[in-house]
């Protein structure tokens, strides 16, 4: 750390890749734009830090993804969170005053951290603020989260809106894709999802390209994975590869005609690899997305990109990426296979909506395909959607209606600034 000792700190707390991209990054960028903060201004009196907290839905690569953003003077990885609580000074000198901001994970972790550091505390509450007594302020995503607060704490709460409603505003400024009807392939960011998602979606892309030769494909490379890993999981090294028709793809390196990297399947289907993070500009130009469940459905919804959400359950033994204590038990070495299959099968039978737009609306805004689905079925459904632009436009309008008005990031940044000690 360069410059004089900092007087105050803003500590953003997060858990997984989706929250890091859609909540933490926009807020951090806004704070840097409105305040003098380290590390971008080394002589500033206030620094911006990131603390990652334990979460069964994390990939383990969140620290590396956050480091590439260049927004934080220090990053504490999730595996060191408990040591941070016990001995904060192990991770450098901490200013005596500051603000802890909850942006994902278990809200209780930020209660512990703010108590340990003696900082003020702000929670961004998507659905409910669980510990209002120990929050100085609460930023609610919407009126429903605000209504769930006991009346004695309501004065601490401000409805700021959905942080992801601002995504489309920033996406518009990015470079346009080449002409064509683009379809986004989102196989996931964690290995458990990629094992199924990569061979499934490449097979689907080959079949969709045969049905609609004018289709063009792109695949955003999640910050928690690599092109090398994607290639490995798309080929024979993946035990699930043999269940699908697509052969191992090859990597096309950039050239004068094609400045980006592409995957090319044995059938000749080319898939643009979008390696900048986040990929909102490219995604916002797609006619349709084929995606797994997770935070990516919230991103696509915020960008108003029509989607088909896929949960192929024919490989239950590798689909153990569920949350909660049952998910943790399912990953115990001796019980992993049996409990993992039983847990996932139970979740599939008992499920409500899985995609964030459907959860938010309480109805089926986007189609969810759950079960032993096949690439040929999804390719046929995608081709049908693409041949009916009025249906795509209707889904896009439904998604826009759910998104809300932009401005939540600025409102949340203002609340952080208000809590930051000034003297």
């Amino acid at each position: 750390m360069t410059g004089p000792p900092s007087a105050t700190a803003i500590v953003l707390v997060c858990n997984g890749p989706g929250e890091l991209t859609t909540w933490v990054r926009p807020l951090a960028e806004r704070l840097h734009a409105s305040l003098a903060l380290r590390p971008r201004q080394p002589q500033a009196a206030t620094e911006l830090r990131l603390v990652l907290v334990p979460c069964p839905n994390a990939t383990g690569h969140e620290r590396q993804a956050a480091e590439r953003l260049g927004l934080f003077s220090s990053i504490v990885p999730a595996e060191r969170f408990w040591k941070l609580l016990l001995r904060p000074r192990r991770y450098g000198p901490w200013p005596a005053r500051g603000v802890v901001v909850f942006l994902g994970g278990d809200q209780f972790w930020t209660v512990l951290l703010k108590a340990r550091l003696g900082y003020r505390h702000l929670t961004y509450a998507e659905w409910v603020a669980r510990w209002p007594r120990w929050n100085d302020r609460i930023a609610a995503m919407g009126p429903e989260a605000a209504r769930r607060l006991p009346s004695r704490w309501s004065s601490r709460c401000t409805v700021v809106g959905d942080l992801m409603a601002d995504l489309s505003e920033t996406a518009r400024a990015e470079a346009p894709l080449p002409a064509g009807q683009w379809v986004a392939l989102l196989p996931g960011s964690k290995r458990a999802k990629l094992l199924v998602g990569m061979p499934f979606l490449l097979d689907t892309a080959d079949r969709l390209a045969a049905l609609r030769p004018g289709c063009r494909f792109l695949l955003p490379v999640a910050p928690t994975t690599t092109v090398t890993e994607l290639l490995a999981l798309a080929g024979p090294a993946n035990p699930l590869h043999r269940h699908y028709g697509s052969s191992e793809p090859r990597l096309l390196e950039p050239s004068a005609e094609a400045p980006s990297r592409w995957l090319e399947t044995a059938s000749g289907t080319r898939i643009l690899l979008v390696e900048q993070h986040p990929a909102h500009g490219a995604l916002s130009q797609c006619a349709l997305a084929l995606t797994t469940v997770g935070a990516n459905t919230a991103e696509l919804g915020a960008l108003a990109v029509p989607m088909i959400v896929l949960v192929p359950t024919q490989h239950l033994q590798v689909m153990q990426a569920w949350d909660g204590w049952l998910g943790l038990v399912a990953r115990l070495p001796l019980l992993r296979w049996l409990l993992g299959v039983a847990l996932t099968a139970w979740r599939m039978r008992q499920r409500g909506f899985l995609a964030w737009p459907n959860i938010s609306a309480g109805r089926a805004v986007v189609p969810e395909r759950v079960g032993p689905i096949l690439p040929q079925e999804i390719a046929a459904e995608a081709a049908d959607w693409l041949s009916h632009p009025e249906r795509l436009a209707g889904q896009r309008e439904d998604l826009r209606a759910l998104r809300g008005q932009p401005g939540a990031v600025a409102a949340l940044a203002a609340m952080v600034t208000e809590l930051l000690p000034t003297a």
Side-chain angles (χ1 to χ4, degrees), residues 132-145:
R133 179 190 301 272
W134 290 285
N135 275 271
D136 295 279
R137 295 290 302 278
I138 296 164
M141 183 180 75
E144 183 61 29

Side-chain angles (χ1 to χ4, degrees), residues 29-361:
E29 291 281 10
R30 181 75 187 197
L31 289 169
H32 274 293
S34 58
L35 298 171
L37 298 176
R38 299 182 189 181
R40 289 192 173 173
Q41 297 191 37
Q43 301 301 316
T46 303
E47 57 181 315
L48 185 61
R49 298 190 178 199
L50 177 68
V51 172
L52 298 166
V53 293
C55 177
N57 292 320
T59 65
H61 301 291
E62 284 77 14
R63 179 182 184 176
Q64 294 90 326
E67 286 174 342
R68 289 194 290 269
L69 299 177
L71 294 167
F72 307 103
S73 59
S74 71
I75 300 170
V76 178
E79 63 269 20
R80 298 181 185 172
F81 178 72
W82 296 111
K83 293 180 180 177
L84 169 65
L85 289 180
L86 292 172
R87 295 177 60 190
R89 300 295 172 186
R90 173 180 290 185
Y91 301 95
W94 287 79
R97 297 175 302 166
V99 182
V100 172
V101 184
F102 170 83
L103 291 169
D106 190 320
Q107 294 180 25
F108 189 59
W109 300 152
T110 53
V111 172
L112 294 177
L113 184 61
K114 82 102 179 183
R116 185 69 178 89
L117 297 176
Y119 288 2
R120 293 176 177 175
H121 185 201
L122 168 65
T123 289
Y124 177 66
E126 189 178 18
W127 305 113
V128 61
R130 302 190 182 279
W131 307 98
R133 179 190 301 272
W134 290 285
N135 275 271
D136 295 279
R137 295 290 302 278
I138 296 164
M141 183 180 75
E144 183 61 29
R147 281 195 294 268
R148 290 178 176 175
L149 277 174
S151 58
R152 58 178 167 165
W153 309 119
S154 59
S155 62
R156 300 185 182 184
C157 181
T158 300
V159 176
V160 297
D162 190 341
L163 292 179
M164 286 190 289
D166 290 23
L167 295 187
S168 60
E169 299 297 311
T170 56
R172 291 175 189 166
E174 298 192 26
L177 292 170
Q181 192 174 43
W182 287 87
V183 176
L185 308 175
L186 288 87
S189 58
K190 294 187 288 189
R191 182 177 176 83
K193 289 183 178 179
L194 291 169
L195 278 165
V196 182
M198 282 302 296
F200 187 99
L201 285 179
L202 292 190
D203 193 351
T204 303
D206 276 341
R207 295 173 187 274
L208 180 54
L211 293 172
R212 292 185 66 84
C215 267
R216 309 191 72 175
F217 300 92
L218 63 83
L219 191 158
V221 181
T224 50
T225 187
T226 64
V227 172
T228 301
E229 183 182 27
L230 294 181
L231 278 170
L233 294 177
N238 181 350
L240 302 184
H241 176 264
R242 61 187 175 84
H243 296 285
Y244 298 96
S246 182
S247 300
E248 183 177 8
R250 66 189 183 105
L251 180 64
L252 303 180
E253 294 291 349
S255 64
E257 295 77 23
S260 301
R261 294 202 283 181
W262 297 68
L263 291 183
E264 185 178 63
T265 69
S267 300
T269 305
R270 290 192 174 188
I271 301 166
L272 172 66
L273 295 173
V274 182
E275 299 184 67
Q276 68 266 28
H277 309 297
H280 297 152
L283 285 172
S284 66
Q285 300 171 62
C286 290
L288 181 68
L290 305 178
T291 178
T292 58
V293 293
N296 45 335
T297 65
E299 289 183 70
L300 291 168
L303 295 168
V305 178
M307 70 190 89
I308 302 174
V309 181
L310 311 175
V311 186
T313 61
Q314 57 265 42
H315 308 295
L316 290 176
Q317 72 274 19
V318 299
M319 294 178 61
Q320 298 156 351
W322 303 109
D323 55 357
W325 68 270
L326 286 174
L328 293 173
V329 172
R331 288 186 277 274
L332 292 174
L334 295 178
L335 302 176
R336 175 175 181 167
W337 189 87
L338 179 62
L339 285 182
V341 170
L343 168 64
T344 307
W346 178 83
R347 284 288 295 269
M348 289 297 99
R349 287 196 304 271
Q350 302 297 322
R351 73 180 185 90
F353 290 120
L354 298 175
W356 281 108
N358 295 346
I359 294 170
S360 298

